[in-house]
């Protein structure tokens, strides 16, 4: 396909879900994209996705042929989630959780508009504030994840260690009804479940 030749080049690339994790380095797919590939290789059920590589300037608009190719890569998909994947995002030291924009329930004919919205969040005022608070340089590069939209009834975030008390033998799950966007953006309060992985049991809960 023409899109594969054009987007896999140095100017702009795409990595589909069949590519091995070795090709998905962070410079090509960003922090979130790399973690999605990692989860996929570990056997987790990850909704189908592709990644547009980071651009120093605004991403190119996808042509009609590009979008048709994406429809073949994401079969049985009515709506898309267009998600940020900055180089610094979901990192070992700073997560940038909820800082960049995601656009949900995007039909294919509005994909270009959503891509531009996500990319423009790279230079938002609250990103500038976040970076100043943590003494970080402002991010300049962002890959973009285009993923099949899942209309979740419940969603949440799972922490491999308890971030509240620092205990590494506890797993903390924060969950909300509906999509997880309300949780990570801070707009919804979550029900919290603390689990012992070693014993396989629920330790305690906290309702929203």
């Amino acid at each position: 396909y023409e899109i594969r030749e054009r987007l896999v080049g140095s100017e702009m690339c795409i990595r589909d879900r069949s590519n091995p994790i070795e090709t998905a380095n962070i410079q090509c797919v960003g922090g979130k994209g790399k973690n999605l590939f990692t989860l996929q290789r570990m056997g987790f059920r990850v909704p189908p996705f592709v990644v547009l590589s980071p651009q120093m300037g605004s991403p190119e608009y996808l042509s009609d042929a590009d979008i048709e190719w994406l429809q073949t890569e994401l079969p049985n998909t009515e709506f898309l989630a267009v998600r940020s994947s900055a180089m610094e995002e979901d990192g070992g030291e700073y997560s940038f959780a909820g800082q960049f924009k995601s656009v949900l329930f995007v039909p294919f004919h509005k994909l270009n508009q959503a891509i531009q919205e996500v990319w423009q969040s790279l230079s938002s005022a609250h990103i500038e504030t976040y970076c100043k608070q943590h003494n970080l340089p402002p991010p300049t590069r962002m890959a973009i994840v285009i993923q099949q939209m899942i209309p979740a009834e419940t969603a949440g975030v799972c922490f491999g260690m308890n971030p509240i008390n620092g205990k590494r033998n506890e797993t903390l799950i924060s969950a909300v009804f509906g999509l997880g966007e309300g949780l990570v953006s801070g707009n919804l309060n979550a029900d919290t479940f603390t689990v012992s992985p070693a014993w396989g049991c629920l330790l305690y809960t906290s309702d929203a």
Side-chain angles (χ1 to χ4, degrees):
Y1 289 98
E2 180 183 353
I3 183 173
R4 185 179 296 274
E5 295 173 357
R6 181 167 70 82
L7 296 185
V8 175
S10 59
E11 294 183 0
M12 186 177 187
C13 73
I14 196 165
R15 291 290 183 265
D16 66 40
R17 56 195 172 90
S18 64
N19 281 4
I21 187 66
E22 288 74 19
T23 67
N25 64 75
I26 196 168
Q27 295 303 317
C28 185
V29 298
K32 185 178 293 175
K34 183 171 177 60
N35 287 338
L36 286 172
F37 278 108
T38 299
L39 288 170
Q40 198 171 66
R41 190 177 74 162
M42 293 173 65
F44 287 90
R45 295 178 62 189
V46 179
F49 67 96
V50 294
V51 183
L52 302 184
S53 75
Q55 304 294 296
M56 293 303 293
S58 176
E60 297 178 19
Y61 280 90
L62 302 182
S63 69
D64 290 343
D66 296 341
I67 293 175
E68 286 180 10
W69 184 84
L70 286 172
Q71 289 175 310
T72 68
E73 289 297 300
L74 305 173
N76 304 314
T77 298
E78 181 178 5
F79 295 106
L80 302 162
V82 182
R83 311 172 66 193
S84 63
S85 185
M87 300 302 98
E88 301 83 356
E89 197 170 358
D90 291 352
E93 294 186 43
Y94 300 99
S95 69
F96 282 81
Q99 299 300 309
F100 299 107
K101 187 176 182 67
S102 292
V103 184
L104 307 180
F105 291 102
V106 178
F108 279 94
H109 70 275
K110 291 188 176 181
L111 181 55
N112 275 316
Q113 177 184 336
I115 289 171
Q116 295 298 318
E117 286 184 40
V118 173
W119 185 84
Q120 288 169 6
S121 71
L122 191 64
S123 55
S124 65
H126 58 270
I127 288 294
E128 183 179 351
T129 300
Y130 183 93
C131 291
K132 286 181 177 178
Q133 288 176 342
H134 297 284
N135 195 28
L136 298 171
T140 59
R141 292 167 59 81
M142 177 188 284
I144 293 178
V145 173
I146 301 173
Q147 190 167 25
Q148 184 182 76
M149 184 72 215
I150 303 297
E153 295 181 2
T154 58
V157 176
C158 178
F159 298 91
M161 61 170 284
N162 193 325
I164 297 174
N165 58 27
K167 292 184 178 180
R168 294 183 175 274
N169 61 345
E170 293 182 356
T171 294
L172 188 141
I173 302 168
S174 297
V176 296
F177 289 105
L179 302 175
E181 184 68 15
L183 173 62
V184 298
S185 66
N187 293 328
L188 294 177
N189 294 322
D191 295 328
T192 301
F193 306 88
T194 304
V195 177
S196 169
W199 293 98
C201 63
L202 180 66
L203 298 177
Y204 39 89
T205 65
S206 175
D207 294 335

